[in-house]
């Protein structure tokens, strides 16, 4: 098995944008739900968005600013983040599994990529 690998994080000023990518080289990618979670320092891991392959859901706190998408041919899921605010600062994790908004629905997790939004 190959764990998902995130990329695209970095430091950005408030109001800026980043696009995160997650490559998940598993044979069942097309049948798996993909999701993004994030964890800020001292905070619990928080659901951000999921794409099941047929439907997408984005949590209210980022809805309208973040977009999730996937490319099954590339075994890759993306998180486009616009209008970033300092509260978005966190380590962002990619996950693959059966789906849902809870971490228990995901079997495979990346190591995370740091997103820092300065004011």
């Amino acid at each position: 098995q190959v764990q998902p690998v995130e990329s695209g994080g970095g430091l950005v000023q408030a109001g800026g944008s980043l696009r995160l990518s997650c490559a998940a080289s598993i044979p069942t990618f097309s049948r798996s739900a993909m999701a993004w979670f994030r964890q800020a320092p001292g905070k619990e891991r928080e659901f951000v968005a999921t794409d099941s392959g047929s439907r997408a859901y984005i949590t209210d706190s980022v809805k309208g600013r973040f977009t999730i998408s996937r490319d099954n041919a590339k075994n890759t899921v993306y998180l486009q983040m616009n209008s970033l605010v300092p509260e978005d600062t966190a380590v962002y994790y990619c996950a693959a599994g059966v789906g849902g908004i809870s971490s228990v629905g995901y079997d495979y997790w990346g190591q995370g990529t740091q997103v820092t939004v300065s004011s």
Side-chain angles (χ1 to χ4, degrees):
Q1 295 180 351
V2 178
Q3 72 178 118
V5 179
E6 304 95 338
S7 62
L11 175 64
V12 64
Q13 196 163 3
S17 298
L18 286 172
R19 189 179 77 156
L20 306 183
S21 299
C22 171
S25 299
I26 56 176
T28 58
F29 181 88
S30 64
R31 301 192 299 273
S32 299
M34 303 296 298
W36 291 94
F37 292 76
R38 66 184 183 184
Q39 188 167 23
K43 304 292 185 179
E44 296 180 351
R45 185 169 293 184
E46 174 190 24
F47 170 81
V48 178
T50 185
D51 189 329
S52 70
S54 58
R55 294 181 297 276
Y57 176 76
I58 303 173
T59 194
D60 286 345
S61 64
V62 302
K63 190 174 184 179
R65 299 188 296 117
F66 291 12
T67 302
I68 188 171
S69 61
R70 64 191 291 165
D71 185 340
N72 288 341
K74 297 180 179 179
N75 287 6
T76 301
V77 65
Y78 305 94
L79 185 68
Q80 178 67 47
M81 305 185 294
N82 298 325
S83 301
L84 286 161
V85 295
E87 290 75 17
D88 295 319
T89 295
V91 177
Y92 284 70
Y93 296 92
C94 174
V98 298
I101 63 172
S102 170
S103 62
V104 302
Y106 299 91
D107 303 312
Y108 306 103
W109 293 80
Q111 292 296 307
T113 185
Q114 176 71 48
V115 172
T116 302
V117 184
S118 65
S119 59

